[in-house]
Amino acid sequence: MDELKTGRRDRRNHWWPKKSAGIAPVFVFPPRPVAFLKWLPSYFYPWTVLFFATGALFWWLLTPSMETMATLSWGWVAWIVLRNAVATALFYGALELPLYIKRWQGTRFKYNPAFPEDRANPAFWWKSQTRDNMARTFIFAVPIWSAWEVLILWAFASGLAPMSTWAENPGWLVMLALLVPFVHHVHFYLVHRLLHVPAIYRRVHAWHHKATNPSPWSSLSMHPIELMLYFSGAGLHLLVGSHPLLALFHLHYAGLGASVGHIGFHTIETGREAGVDTHAFTHYLHHKYFEVNYGEGLVPIDKWMGTWHDGSEEGDRLMEARRAGRRAGQA
């Protein structure tokens, strides 16, 4: 694929898409029905469909029975941790191997042309961003993700949480399934904005922002406190008469889906003239500039709060104006 058909390289050889990052035409006034219908397939494909499918697969084939999970025991809890670790290794590895290890795509569509492993970085364990991020993912992220999952599954199985069935409440559960991405993005914005409060940032979120040039393994390389907050969004399913399948979908959307914003490539090539849009640009800009795009464009809270950056020169101008205003206020 020719990356210059859809983007450009700047003086530092960083790749920028010609089309600025957009806001989903959902929470807009006046309504834009034609734009909404054109956008709708991208809401489902590829990521939402993929993570719903993995959540369903885990529920139907890889989750113990409700009778087993009604009682907490080390056997099934260890199984949950193990299968989440394997899923993480396979999914993240499937992105990291071709793009960052084999480098089959080279730097085509890569925002930052540098690869993290090409130089030692003392900010990371073993001076290696990749090995550091992998270790933190398996030491901290997978156990905390699994702890939330165990809590939710046990609460459903033991009757502590209200649960709907597909036979009795299909409409309600379908609606919840459609809302999971929206709920995740609102929750992510709120948690993320909290983590950028200076005192919290220095002690917690700075762990994650060591990766200014992120790769897939950077996705869940977070402080344990941040991980507890990040996965807490799935706790909603304990309150609203949901179903374990939807809780797993939510956790996969958060756990496996964290990689989407950290891929570092705008397009993953799937053929000579074919590729998949990663939707990674918005969050890449957050890692580049730190104080923009605390959420994503699905629910435009950044737009409403004045912290949106769409990657354009106008976005740069607005960001610099905010910075100048902040400096003036501190003078």
Side-chain angles (χ1 to χ4, degrees), residues 1 6 27-28 54 71 116 126 142 174 184 197 223 225 251 260 297 302 304-305 313 320 331:
M1 295 181 69
T6 56
F27 299 96
V28 294
T54 59
T71 303
W126 312 292
V142 170
V174 168
H184 170 76
V197 172
H223 191 285
I225 293 175
L251 287 165
V260 174
D302 280 293
W304 300 335
M305 301 301 293
E313 291 183 1
E320 291 303 326

Side-chain angles (χ1 to χ4, degrees), residues 3 12 22 41 56 69 76 99 123 165-166 207 234 257 266 302 309 324:
E3 64 172 10
R12 298 173 60 200
M69 295 189 296
W76 73 266
L99 296 173
T165 67
W166 293 96
W207 274 36
H266 195 74
D302 280 293
H309 195 313

Side-chain angles (χ1 to χ4, degrees), residues 254-292:
L256 300 180
S259 62
V260 174
H262 300 83
I263 290 175
F265 286 78
H266 195 74
T267 301
I268 299 176
E269 296 178 352
T270 57
R272 181 166 296 183
E273 294 298 329
V276 175
D277 186 353
T278 64
H279 307 296
F281 187 48
T282 300
H283 196 65
Y284 168 77
L285 291 171
H286 176 75
H287 275 263
K288 184 176 179 65
Y289 296 126
F290 289 82
E291 57 192 45
V292 299

Side-chain angles (χ1 to χ4, degrees), residues 9 14 17 32 34 52 69 79 98 142 150 164 168 178 212-213 271 326 330:
R9 290 282 173 183
H14 288 227
R32 298 165 56 199
V34 174
F52 183 86
M69 295 189 296
W79 168 247
V142 170
V150 166
S164 298
E168 294 175 350
L178 292 173
T212 55
N213 180 17
R326 201 160 50 244
Q330 295 172 350

Side-chain angles (χ1 to χ4, degrees), residues 159-191:
L160 291 176
M163 175 176 160
S164 298
T165 67
W166 293 96
E168 294 175 350
N169 296 294
W172 171 245
L173 293 178
V174 168
M175 185 183 74
L176 281 180
L178 292 173
L179 289 176
V180 161
F182 290 97
V183 172
H184 170 76
H185 283 288
V186 171
H187 176 266
F188 175 68
Y189 175 88
L190 295 174
V191 167

Side-chain angles (χ1 to χ4, degrees), residues 113-158:
F115 286 89
E117 288 305 291
D118 285 350
R119 68 179 184 89
N121 189 335
F124 297 101
W125 292 345
W126 312 292
K127 299 182 179 180
S128 166
Q129 177 176 314
T130 301
R131 285 188 288 169
D132 173 290
N133 293 174
M134 288 180 67
R136 292 180 189 275
T137 296
F138 288 111
I139 293 171
F140 302 112
V142 170
I144 291 172
W145 163 3
S146 301
W148 272 107
E149 185 171 331
V150 166
L151 171 64
I152 293 167
L153 292 174
W154 170 70
F156 277 130
S158 63

Side-chain angles (χ1 to χ4, degrees), residues 3 6 58-59 64 113 115 162 187 204 212 238 287 294 301-302 307 318 328:
E3 64 172 10
T6 56
F58 272 47
W59 170 243
F115 286 89
H187 176 266
V204 178
T212 55
L238 296 172
H287 275 263
Y294 297 102
I301 307 177
D302 280 293
T307 54
L318 293 172

